[in-house]
Amino acid sequence: RLLLSVTLICSIAVSALSQQANGQKPASGEPTDGVRKVSVESKDPFKKWLNEDVSYLITQAERAAYLALKTNEERENFIKFFWDRRDPDPDTEENEFREQHYERVAYANEHFASGIPGWRTDRGRIYITWGKPDSIEPHSSGGSYERPSYEGGGSATAYPFETWFYRHLDGVGDGVEIEFVDRTGTGEYRIARDPDEKIAFASGLSTRQVNNVNTANYQREQDSPFVVASKIAALSTPPTVKFDDLRQFINSSAVIDNNALPFDLRIDYFRQSDDRVIAAFTIKTSNRGLQFKDEGGLQTARLNIFGKITAVTGKRSGIFEDSVVTNVSAGEWDNTRDQRSIYQKGLALAPGIYRADIIVRDVATGNKGLVSMGFKVPKYDQAKLSTSSLILASKLRTATEREIGERFVIGGVKVIPNLVSEYKLGEDVGVYLQVYNAEVDQTTLRPAVDVSYTVLKDGKVVLTKIEDWEGSSESGSRLTLARLLPTSKLLAGEYEVKIEVRDSVRVQSVERSAKFTIVP
């Protein structure tokens, strides 16, 4: 006890002497006259948000700004701003981006865990960052594997692997394939940097010697080491916050002097369901109005596009934002600088009256163009024969399986509208139209409608085509008319194409028309 008392007395004495040595008064229970010291609040409550919740989303600049904050109040404000910047529809109470993000995290933890949390795996990272792939080719058991020609051909034994396919990823590219391989048999699939990483055994030879085939001779460009490395780097980069400045520009009702980047806007309508219509917004700019820069031997122009759709009630009904890249080889530059760059976005809207505010910016020059347009989404009556918009197309063909869901693909047809409706002499005119609510002839099981295409010049018929339903398997609720009208026998001048649709059962008819010009 005596020893303990002496120790306490010594400690108090040392503390008092230390305060006096530093010019401080011993604490007396009253505020001192010295400068008040404020300790930095602990960051611990926010570490999980930074290092786990948004580790794949936060940019380097945002991370640096966050780490520089001193108080929890500042961090809370930062987190709110972080999500607000990414909110696709600020007019709603929910932040759809944030909700979707945490749903992806939960899915990754449930489906991709393998001794480590699912969000930390390669598959989890890609899923959280880029969302559900458009398709997955699973090989969960591994085993016998027939190598495609671009991998060198031949038979091999493979580790379990999966191939994910994305039609388009902003900042990464189109037709993105990602291969994940489980080389340890633990269920942890790691992203492959070489097509041969999945090969476990190949007839005793190295994977580069299968059947004495040099894979470099057959390798796809997308499998080259440089392209793969670039793709993986892009996949590891947080998605950019899209055009927040353009969003603010439109919301501010600012005026663009002289419309420095003019562009054309067209809106077409296609029935999706009883209460929803797909409104397809097509934007066209002249290549001469863009600044092209040399990037790896290609002349490249980059555009940012932001659109806000508002209902007549003032409620925001949708937004879209995207990047568009136009590449032209040096040898084609003289021919393509007089051509146009085109972009399309489809939104599902309810019938009604809306306003579209679209802004386009040339990334290189900063030049902007703004178009504001009112439009009416039609209501399709189930009991009435009707049609979609009539599109005159510059390109019209059957879409491949991988193109389904991409831009310019309507149903199973790739349709690129010709916004200026000009065709060169001898160039086919693409015509696309959907017909709704046509009856089916029960004896022939084919649509009970007659469709005729008529091309007129100065009011006189110069070309007629009749739709042939032979072999058609489409139901009467939706018929697709996609035809190329030959113009090889037509002279330069202005023309009009009329499409007449007649339902012989309901005794109803619809006519659609559009004008076009043939130039030398």
Side-chain angles (χ1 to χ4, degrees):
R1 290 178 182 174
L2 178 61
L3 179 62
L4 178 61
S5 299
V6 171
T7 302
L8 290 174
I9 292 171
C10 292
S11 297
I12 294 172
V14 169
S15 176
L17 290 172
S18 176
Q19 291 179 4
Q20 291 175 356
N22 291 328
Q24 299 177 2
K25 297 179 180 180
S28 61
E30 298 294 333
T32 66
D33 296 331
V35 178
R36 179 172 177 263
K37 293 186 177 181
V38 179
S39 61
V40 177
E41 295 181 38
S42 171
K43 299 180 183 179
D44 289 346
F46 298 91
K47 280 186 177 180
K48 179 178 181 298
W49 182 84
L50 178 66
N51 297 325
E52 295 185 22
D53 290 13
V54 298
S55 59
Y56 302 142
L57 299 183
I58 194 166
T59 65
Q60 290 184 356
E62 288 175 325
R63 180 180 289 273
Y66 181 84
L67 292 174
L69 302 178
K70 301 299 182 183
T71 68
N72 287 345
E73 182 181 3
E74 291 175 339
R75 297 184 189 101
E76 289 173 353
N77 291 333
F78 180 95
I79 292 172
K80 182 180 184 303
F81 177 72
F82 177 90
W83 292 119
D84 286 348
R85 289 186 70 197
R86 292 161 170 82
D87 188 355
D89 193 351
D91 293 339
T92 61
E93 293 183 3
E94 301 81 10
N95 186 321
E96 294 82 1
F97 180 92
R98 182 178 56 201
E99 291 183 358
Q100 181 188 64
H101 171 72
Y102 282 108
E103 287 174 0
R104 291 178 179 177
V105 172
Y107 183 92
N109 285 332
E110 181 179 353
H111 292 83
F112 304 136
S114 58
I116 59 175
W119 71 269
R120 294 183 60 187
T121 66
D122 282 358
R123 288 186 299 173
R125 173 173 60 85
I126 296 299
Y127 187 91
I128 292 170
T129 308
W130 304 103
K132 180 181 178 181
D134 294 298
S135 65
I136 297 178
E137 182 182 325
H139 298 270
S140 56
S141 300
S144 179
Y145 173 62
E146 295 296 326
R147 293 154 55 101
S149 59
Y150 52 80
E151 291 184 6
S155 299
T157 300
Y159 294 109
F161 71 97
E162 289 183 358
T163 302
W164 289 15
F165 176 78
Y166 292 90
R167 294 189 180 94
H168 174 79
L169 293 178
D170 290 338
V172 182
D174 295 320
V176 179
E177 286 186 5
I178 310 171
E179 201 163 73
F180 301 93
V181 181
D182 177 15
R183 294 179 62 91
T184 61
T186 62
E188 183 181 350
Y189 287 75
R190 296 188 177 183
I191 195 166
R193 289 165 170 75
D194 187 290
D196 289 334
E197 286 190 24
K198 61 180 171 290
I199 304 303
F201 178 74
S203 303
L205 301 176
S206 70
T207 55
R208 289 293 182 184
Q209 296 174 318
V210 176
N211 293 339
N212 197 29
V213 174
N214 181 0
T215 59
N217 295 333
Y218 298 88
Q219 191 177 61
R220 298 177 300 179
E221 181 183 0
Q222 67 192 63
D223 296 328
S224 67
F226 175 77
V227 174
V228 171
S230 299
K231 176 184 68 178
I232 291 176
L235 289 169
S236 302
T237 302
T240 57
V241 182
K242 292 186 177 180
F243 324 140
D244 190 52
D245 59 330
L246 298 187
R247 183 202 307 257
Q248 295 175 6
F249 191 92
I250 285 183
N251 292 339
S252 68
S253 301
V255 177
I256 299 178
D257 294 333
N258 301 323
N259 203 30
L261 183 62
F263 62 91
D264 295 319
L265 172 65
R266 173 188 172 99
I267 308 174
D268 296 297
Y269 311 101
F270 304 91
R271 177 183 174 184
Q272 183 184 48
S273 63
D274 291 343
D275 60 350
R276 282 291 182 270
V277 175
I278 297 297
F281 299 84
T282 306
I283 296 167
K284 175 192 66 65
T285 63
S286 171
N287 285 349
R288 280 194 175 274
L290 307 178
Q291 180 169 319
F292 285 78
K293 292 185 176 181
D294 185 276
E295 295 185 7
L298 293 177
Q299 294 296 317
T300 302
R302 299 180 182 275
L303 296 175
N304 291 341
I305 298 175
F306 180 85
K308 180 178 73 172
I309 312 303
T310 309
V312 68
T313 59
K315 181 180 179 181
R316 180 178 297 177
S317 299
I319 64 171
F320 57 88
E321 47 194 349
D322 217 334
S323 298
V324 179
V325 179
T326 299
N327 292 317
V328 180
S329 66
E332 298 174 336
W333 171 239
D334 290 337
N335 295 326
T336 55
R337 62 182 175 183
D338 291 326
Q339 296 180 3
R340 302 168 178 86
S341 296
I342 191 166
Y343 165 88
Q344 188 178 83
K345 179 67 176 182
L347 294 178
L349 301 173
I353 300 175
Y354 297 84
R355 169 191 171 98
D357 296 290
I358 314 293
I359 186 169
V360 178
R361 175 179 62 189
D362 186 334
V363 174
T365 63
N367 290 340
K368 303 181 186 71
L370 174 65
V371 169
S372 297
M373 176 188 297
F375 63 97
K376 183 177 181 180
V377 176
K379 181 176 178 60
Y380 291 103
D381 189 341
Q382 284 187 328
K384 186 178 179 181
L385 183 70
S386 56
T387 74
S388 68
S389 302
L390 170 61
I391 297 180
L392 297 187
S394 57
K395 291 184 179 180
L396 183 67
R397 62 172 174 79
T398 301
T400 65
E401 183 178 351
R402 286 191 171 181
E403 289 176 326
I404 301 299
E406 293 184 356
R407 299 170 191 157
F408 306 110
V409 176
I410 308 172
V413 182
K414 187 159 189 175
V415 186
I416 300 184
N418 187 331
L419 269 66
V420 295
S421 299
E422 283 188 357
Y423 297 85
K424 292 184 178 180
L425 201 63
E427 182 181 5
D428 291 343
V429 176
V431 177
Y432 183 89
L433 185 74
Q434 289 184 356
V435 178
Y436 309 120
N437 306 322
E439 289 291 337
V440 174
D441 189 327
Q442 297 303 316
T443 59
T444 63
L445 298 180
R446 292 201 296 268
V449 293
D450 297 320
V451 179
S452 63
Y453 307 78
T454 305
V455 177
L456 303 97
K457 188 176 190 305
D458 300 327
K460 297 180 180 179
V461 177
V462 296
L463 179 66
T464 299
K465 287 282 184 180
I466 305 297
E467 184 68 35
D468 182 8
W469 298 114
E470 187 70 30
S472 174
S473 60
E474 293 190 275
S475 66
S477 61
R478 186 190 308 270
L479 300 172
T480 299
L481 308 177
R483 293 290 178 269
L484 292 173
L485 301 181
T487 63
S488 56
K489 296 182 179 179
L490 302 183
L491 302 176
E494 297 182 355
Y495 294 83
E496 181 180 18
V497 58
K498 288 186 178 180
I499 299 182
E500 295 180 88
V501 183
R502 294 180 297 275
D503 188 324
S504 58
V505 176
R506 286 182 171 172
V507 193
Q508 296 179 357
S509 63
V510 177
E511 182 178 286
R512 295 287 181 265
S513 64
K515 294 183 179 180
F516 65 93
T517 303
I518 296 179
V519 296

